Amino acid sequence: MAAHCRGTELDLSWISKVQVNHAAVLRRAQQIQARRSVKKEWQAAWLLKAVTFIDLTTLSGDDTFSNVQRLCYKAKYPIRADLLKALNMDDKGITTAAVCVYPARVCDAVKALKAAGCSIPVASVATGFPAGQTHLKTRLEEIRLAVEDGATEIDVVINRTLVLTGQWEALYDEVTQFRKACGEAHLKTILATGELGSLTNVYKASLVAMMAGSDFIKTSTGKETVNATFPVAIVMLRAIRDFFWKTGNKVGFKTAGGIRTAKESLAWLSLVKEELGDEWLTPDLFRIGASSLLSDIERQIYHHVTGRYAAYHDLPMS
């Protein structure tokens, strides 16, 4: 991943002036959804590109060493070797961008990736994921422990109460402390946009998180009732663009929650490309948090190569 985003001073005058045009955002979101998918001959190339943006994730109460190990193997070998060979992509070292696990499973992931001879980053959720409703001291300690165990990316959740009550200084201070606790690890800040009340709040929370030094801003935990949606993403992407124009700092965007099909992943790539340009289509600046998405992408690539759809036993998880 690229160098850390440099935080800036908290600019309350900028935040106070923000007003999102709700109707215009919804119109733009409908345009994206109505668009035709990528043409057949380009589809396989775009799907392979999508694989390289995936944070392959398992965040279940029943996670064990063995399923984290399987996840790590799949991250290193996301698409069956014979399919990559048929596309002349077998020597390109295609892997997912990272694996993402709970803090208690970081050691398992680090161990499994080391055994596979692989340098894919391990991301850990932290700060009382998914609700963020624990004491600040505990949340900071959770970050430090995950980093000690070998996580090089930390996906933190913000305290939504601070957004809903307009406590922007307190939010800035918390995220600044998260940034400090991460040390050399990259900070991905989850806004949990489905719980922020309005698109204006989403824009303001995005700005505050970036001012406080987040390397990425992320839509959702995947555990909310409403997760990644196009209207929310448009607002976040425009906040990233405005922040870049004003400060020169490039902040990444991560979408997560409910992205399960290859077709959906292409729509997300398209949106990022249109809103921020090709320079954001790199794992350093764009991620998709997902668990079942990779299986569907592999099925579509299988169909592209063989002309038929795979049975589930043709493409096991690992």
Side-chain angles (χ1 to χ4, degrees):
M1 206 187 255
H4 292 301
C5 170
R6 298 177 304 282
T8 63
E9 294 292 314
L10 178 64
D11 185 345
L12 283 172
S13 66
W14 182 6
I15 292 159
S16 65
K17 290 188 196 115
V18 169
Q19 198 58 54
V20 172
N21 182 336
H22 197 271
V25 170
L26 293 184
R27 274 199 305 276
R28 173 79 177 112
Q30 281 164 347
Q31 278 176 356
I32 305 268
Q33 282 159 309
R35 192 159 302 149
R36 286 181 62 203
S37 197
V38 183
K39 284 200 174 76
K40 274 278 185 286
E41 58 271 30
W42 300 110
Q43 206 168 55
W46 276 95
L47 287 174
L48 287 177
K49 198 168 181 65
V51 168
T52 67
F53 300 135
I54 293 175
D55 280 0
L56 195 59
T57 302
T58 184
L59 295 169
S60 301
D62 58 357
D63 283 340
T64 61
F65 175 69
S66 62
N67 77 303
V68 169
Q69 191 177 32
R70 279 203 307 279
L71 187 87
C72 292
Y73 185 85
K74 190 65 182 169
K76 186 181 182 186
Y77 302 108
I79 306 293
R80 231 171 61 177
D82 58 321
L83 301 177
L84 288 175
K85 194 159 188 170
L87 295 165
N88 291 320
M89 295 295 284
D90 51 321
D91 58 347
K92 297 291 187 284
I94 290 173
T95 68
T96 67
V99 296
C100 183
V101 294
Y102 273 121
R105 302 264 73 90
V106 169
C107 282
D108 293 346
V110 169
K111 189 176 170 186
L113 288 167
K114 193 176 177 186
C118 184
S119 58
I120 297 171
V122 175
S124 172
V125 296
T127 64
F129 179 96
Q133 295 278 13
T134 56
H135 291 295
L136 179 60
K137 191 176 176 183
T138 316
R139 286 182 278 151
L140 292 169
E141 187 62 12
E142 198 173 28
I143 294 172
R144 287 190 281 265
L145 290 171
V147 172
E148 271 176 35
D149 284 345
T152 54
E153 301 179 8
I154 304 292
D155 289 34
V156 302
V157 287
I158 62 165
N159 181 342
R160 279 71 113 187
T161 308
L162 299 178
V163 176
L164 294 169
T165 53
Q167 296 181 67
W168 305 115
E169 286 121 312
L171 179 64
Y172 177 84
D173 289 344
E174 281 205 357
V175 179
T176 303
Q177 289 183 66
F178 295 163
R179 161 78 279 154
K180 195 175 172 190
C182 281
E184 287 303 301
H186 283 80
L187 174 66
K188 310 215 283 286
T189 302
I190 306 170
L191 303 181
T193 52
E195 296 176 348
L196 297 187
S198 70
L199 291 177
T200 298
N201 274 350
V202 169
Y203 188 97
K204 289 180 177 182
S206 298
L207 282 185
V208 173
M210 292 187 286
M211 289 171 185
S214 303
D215 296 298
F216 269 73
I217 52 175
K218 175 176 168 184
T219 57
S220 329
T221 64
K223 310 285 187 186
E224 292 97 62
T225 320
V226 178
N227 291 293
T229 67
F230 285 136
V232 152
I234 290 161
V235 170
M236 290 174 70
L237 291 167
R238 302 232 168 143
I240 288 171
R241 188 171 68 187
D242 294 346
F243 188 74
F244 173 60
W245 284 347
K246 192 156 183 172
T247 68
N249 291 348
K250 285 183 182 173
V251 176
F253 172 73
K254 179 173 173 181
T255 179
I259 301 160
R260 295 188 179 90
T261 70
K263 190 178 178 185
E264 286 170 335
S265 72
L266 293 180
W268 283 100
L269 264 69
S270 206
L271 176 62
V272 171
K273 181 180 164 70
E274 287 179 25
E275 290 291 327
L276 294 174
D278 283 332
E279 60 193 310
W280 254 266
L281 282 183
T282 150
D284 283 347
L285 290 168
F286 176 49
R287 298 287 180 86
I288 301 171
S291 42
S292 58
L293 169 63
L294 182 55
S295 300
D296 193 60
I297 289 178
E298 195 175 19
R299 281 171 64 75
Q300 298 305 323
I301 288 171
Y302 183 97
H303 181 260
H304 180 86
V305 169
T306 66
R308 62 188 177 82
Y309 281 108
Y312 278 103
H313 60 262
D314 288 326
L315 300 171
M317 176 62 184
S318 64

